[in-house]
Amino acid sequence: MWKEVKDRELGRIRPAFLANRVQSRRIRSLELANQKEIVSAHKGAVNSLQIDLTEGRYLLSGASDGSAAVYDIQQATDDGAGLVAKHKSLFVVDKRLEYGHQYAVSSVLWYPVDTGLFVTGSFDHYIKVWDTNTTQVEMQFKMSGKVYGTAMSSISTTHMLIAAGTEDVQVRLCDIASGAFTHTLSGHRGTDSRLRLWDVESGCNTLVNYESTRIRTNKATQLAVTPNSSLVFVPCLTAIQAYDVWSGRLCSTFHGHYDFINCCSFNPQDQELYSGGNDRQILIWSPPAVVSLEEVLVSVHNAIYTRESI
């Protein structure tokens, strides 16, 4: 580490390289947080999680009781007298609302460029687009079966499409701008409980062997990947396993949930991992709270570099 700091001082390596090395070390030292807690608002299994892509501040969750909730993960609602910072939900939308989901919420996601909208998919065959400020449904799509997953492109500037995976093994594209379906994609043939890495250019399996993955086949599982694509976090029954993306080597295993884990979401700003499971809990996995000297040095060097660049 000290050699890298010296190389940074002499300009032999770029500031981003040193920052990435420290971030990688922090990620690989994740442990169950003991100074921060999410107070779950759900009365059923937590099925899906996502941290907003614009501020990295708001956590969105969906659960089997038909509810979705939003949490501020930076500003605690209760500091616990200085011991544990507790984060309670800012609001909950559930089946008590006129247009709430009547069955399990299987998928949640933020509108990629704005926290003013979020999307939920449910086993009641509906995808709903919500206004965050009013907690009202602005638009909904009636699907042909249970909704298992939803996704939106974080980089698109020409469309507002939601890709939805349903129980009829087809992917349908829903257009928020027009309120209509645009395409139907077919090709899936079932499940084999395996994790695979695909080359998007060739469309081929890279044949990376992820050691001893045990993914449930009777329920959708949400993975999380670090921003530099070095690690993938995989819910495997009652544990989370972290794999090296390119080699498939098992790097770490995290235990903390008391029942099957369904989802996880990674926060690149704080290098924190969030997980949800059938025990109705949302757990936080954080780097050690003690700040090391090397991290202080990196922060100082980056601040100096930023000031010199202005």
Side-chain angles (χ1 to χ4, degrees):
M1 180 63 198
W2 293 110
K3 180 181 182 302
E4 294 169 354
V5 172
K6 185 66 174 178
D7 289 343
R8 166 67 188 94
E9 290 178 341
L10 298 176
R12 294 172 181 167
I13 61 176
R14 300 178 67 86
F17 175 84
L18 187 57
N20 286 337
R21 289 295 295 269
V22 173
Q23 289 178 1
S24 295
R25 289 192 179 102
R26 284 170 57 82
I27 292 170
R28 292 176 184 273
S29 64
L30 290 176
E31 58 187 24
L32 192 59
N34 56 14
Q35 297 182 344
K36 187 176 180 180
E37 177 185 346
I38 298 292
V39 181
S40 178
H42 304 296
K43 296 182 174 64
V46 180
N47 294 328
S48 183
L49 297 170
Q50 190 185 47
I51 298 166
D52 76 272
L53 303 177
T54 53
E55 300 179 65
R57 175 173 180 175
Y58 298 104
L59 174 69
L60 177 62
S61 63
S64 293
D65 62 353
S67 65
V70 172
Y71 307 84
D72 186 336
I73 57 177
Q74 292 185 4
Q75 183 66 45
T77 53
D78 180 4
D79 61 10
L83 299 177
V84 178
K86 296 189 176 183
H87 299 254
K88 298 179 181 179
S89 61
L90 300 180
F91 65 83
V92 178
V93 294
D94 56 25
K95 61 182 63 178
R96 293 175 297 180
L97 299 178
E98 182 180 0
Y99 294 104
H101 287 293
Q102 297 305 305
Y103 298 110
V105 172
S106 56
S107 177
V108 295
L109 69 145
W110 287 105
Y111 186 60
V113 297
D114 189 344
T115 55
L117 294 175
F118 65 92
V119 179
T120 57
S122 171
F123 282 5
D124 63 7
H125 302 190
Y126 279 96
I127 292 176
K128 298 178 185 286
V129 181
W130 300 79
D131 184 309
T132 307
N133 297 311
T134 64
T135 65
Q136 298 295 314
V137 174
E138 296 298 318
M139 181 179 299
Q140 62 182 14
F141 299 89
K142 179 69 166 67
M143 311 304 290
S144 59
K146 296 178 181 177
V147 178
Y148 289 130
T150 54
M152 294 186 73
S153 170
S154 60
I155 60 174
S156 174
T157 59
T158 60
H159 66 73
M160 302 169 63
L161 299 179
I162 303 170
T166 59
E167 66 178 335
D168 61 0
V169 299
Q170 293 182 327
V171 176
R172 286 182 171 82
L173 301 183
C174 313
D175 189 355
I176 295 180
S178 65
F181 298 104
T182 61
H183 297 80
T184 298
L185 311 176
S186 303
H188 285 279
R189 291 294 181 270
T191 178
D192 59 6
S193 187
R194 301 296 296 172
L195 179 65
R196 289 187 171 87
L197 178 65
W198 297 85
D199 185 322
V200 295
E201 293 186 355
S202 67
C204 295
N205 182 5
T206 60
L207 301 180
V208 174
N209 178 31
Y210 294 95
E211 306 170 356
S212 62
T213 51
R214 299 179 62 192
I215 302 175
R216 296 161 61 198
T217 60
N218 62 345
K219 192 172 186 178
T221 301
Q222 179 184 325
L223 316 178
V225 181
T226 56
N228 61 2
S229 300
S230 62
L231 290 178
V232 56
F233 298 96
V234 185
C236 296
L237 303 182
T238 59
I240 300 173
Q241 293 181 331
Y243 292 91
D244 184 288
V245 170
W246 307 109
S247 70
R249 180 176 59 88
L250 177 62
C251 300
S252 303
T253 301
F254 306 103
H255 295 278
H257 285 277
Y258 295 104
D259 207 333
F260 288 150
I261 302 171
N262 302 318
C263 54
C264 50
S265 181
F266 187 77
N267 182 8
Q269 290 194 7
D270 300 319
Q271 292 89 55
E272 290 180 331
L273 180 70
Y274 292 76
S275 61
N278 288 355
D279 57 5
R280 308 178 184 179
Q281 299 301 309
I282 300 173
L283 299 185
I284 308 171
W285 308 86
S286 302
V290 177
V291 179
S292 65
L293 178 60
E294 66 182 34
E295 293 176 46
V296 175
L297 287 173
V298 169
S299 299
V300 171
H301 279 277
N302 287 343
I304 293 174
Y305 175 80
T306 302
R307 189 163 58 249
E308 291 175 348
S309 301
I310 298 176

